[in-house]
Amino acid sequence: GENVEQHPSTLSVQEGDSAVIKCTYSDSASNYFPWYKQELGKGPQLIIDIRSNVGEKKDQRIAVTLNKTAKHFSLHITETQPEDSAVYFCAASRGNTGNQFYFGTGTSLTVIP
Amino acid sequence: DVKVTQSSRYLVKRTGEKVFLECVQDMDHENMFWYRQDPGLGLRLIYFSYDVKMKEKGDIPEGYSVSREKKERFSLILESASTNQTSMYLCASRRIPGTQYFGPGTRLLVL
């Protein structure tokens, strides 16, 4: 089955700096890679996703890059703000053909004002 | 907006009790999922359902069962609660080929 590894497990940055979270996956058939943000006491919420037919996707201060050859994908948050503090999860799925999503173990991001 | 609701935010039960966790989604999604979330372990899939009355075991189904009698509702059942089932339980739903949408979670404490 799929194995998703996520690093780092904790990350502290100064407000305004950038944050990068990295994930690797093992199943070359995975083709859909969402990122979720989980705030304290809430369920994970989708913040951005990417499919394997593109290498990069951007939404305001958030971007995701995908390297299919190396089987890794990364979340980039620029100009971080205190409200970006949360736990972030990456996931991998076969999209159309797979029901299961495989999650990383999460990164706790703290943005220091 | 997709809405996934869970019947309880917090639940305290005694060892040996039968526990029902309910999840409802309002977007006619085919797939529904139950996960448990524990510190350092991320999200682990317990069961999922790809259609009414259909279910598949996930990675950690032992001690749990599920029921999906209607498309919008997916129930997780702890047949005889044990202390090692103390956890955060998350329900999610999905329309293929889209992403999963999560409920707010139920924090279960088994004494």
Side-chain angles (χ1 to χ4, degrees):
Chain A
E2 175 65 279
N3 180 44
V4 176
E5 295 190 359
Q6 182 173 348
H7 300 280
S9 56
T10 60
L11 180 60
S12 290
V13 300
Q14 290 291 136
E15 183 177 356
D17 287 351
S18 294
V20 181
I21 303 169
K22 298 182 179 182
C23 287
T24 60
Y25 62 99
S26 61
D27 184 359
S28 56
S30 289
N31 57 13
Y32 176 66
F33 307 93
W35 284 90
Y36 295 87
K37 175 183 181 182
Q38 186 176 25
E39 296 174 331
L40 204 59
K42 297 183 179 180
Q45 300 293 313
L46 177 75
I47 54 171
I48 196 167
D49 57 9
I50 191 167
R51 297 188 185 275
S52 59
N53 56 347
V54 298
E56 184 173 358
K57 185 176 178 181
K58 193 171 181 181
D59 182 4
Q60 299 183 338
R61 296 186 296 110
I62 295 172
V64 57
T65 58
L66 171 66
N67 183 327
K68 284 192 299 181
T69 305
K71 296 201 193 74
H72 66 72
F73 56 112
S74 300
L75 178 71
H76 304 254
I77 306 174
T78 58
E79 300 169 26
T80 53
Q81 299 167 4
E83 51 265 38
D84 293 329
S85 296
V87 178
Y88 292 81
F89 290 95
C90 64
S93 167
R94 288 188 178 187
N96 289 7
T97 58
N99 286 312
Q100 286 209 36
F101 280 43
Y102 298 88
F103 289 86
T105 50
T107 296
S108 178
L109 172 65
T110 302
V111 179
I112 303 165
Chain B
D1 262 4
V2 176
K3 191 154 189 187
V4 180
T5 57
Q6 295 183 230
S7 51
S8 305
R9 294 300 305 274
Y10 301 95
L11 216 47
V12 180
K13 296 291 181 180
R14 298 224 172 260
T15 302
E17 278 192 76
K18 192 167 185 175
V19 182
F20 293 87
L21 303 182
E22 298 272 310
C23 175
V24 177
Q25 50 95 3
D26 66 356
M27 287 301 291
D28 201 38
H29 286 175
E30 300 92 351
N31 291 177
M32 296 188 75
F33 306 80
W34 275 107
Y35 295 90
R36 64 175 282 176
Q37 182 178 24
D38 300 289
L41 298 178
L43 279 72
R44 293 182 291 167
L45 182 65
I46 304 171
Y47 268 97
F48 68 96
S49 168
Y50 49 91
D51 204 347
V52 175
K53 297 191 187 294
M54 307 302 277
K55 60 186 179 186
E56 290 279 345
K57 291 180 180 179
D59 300 318
I60 51 164
E62 295 78 19
Y64 304 94
S65 62
V66 290
S67 172
R68 193 165 180 203
E69 296 297 316
K70 293 185 178 181
K71 193 173 187 178
E72 67 270 20
R73 190 179 299 268
F74 192 35
S75 302
L76 179 69
I77 303 151
L78 286 65
E79 297 290 343
S80 177
S82 64
T83 55
N84 63 12
Q85 291 179 310
T86 290
S87 188
M88 167 75 102
Y89 290 87
L90 290 164
C91 174
S93 74
R94 173 185 186 228
R95 173 179 289 121
I96 300 170
T99 196
Q100 292 193 6
Y101 293 90
F102 286 87
T106 296
R107 193 166 290 281
L108 172 67
L109 173 62
V110 182
L111 300 174

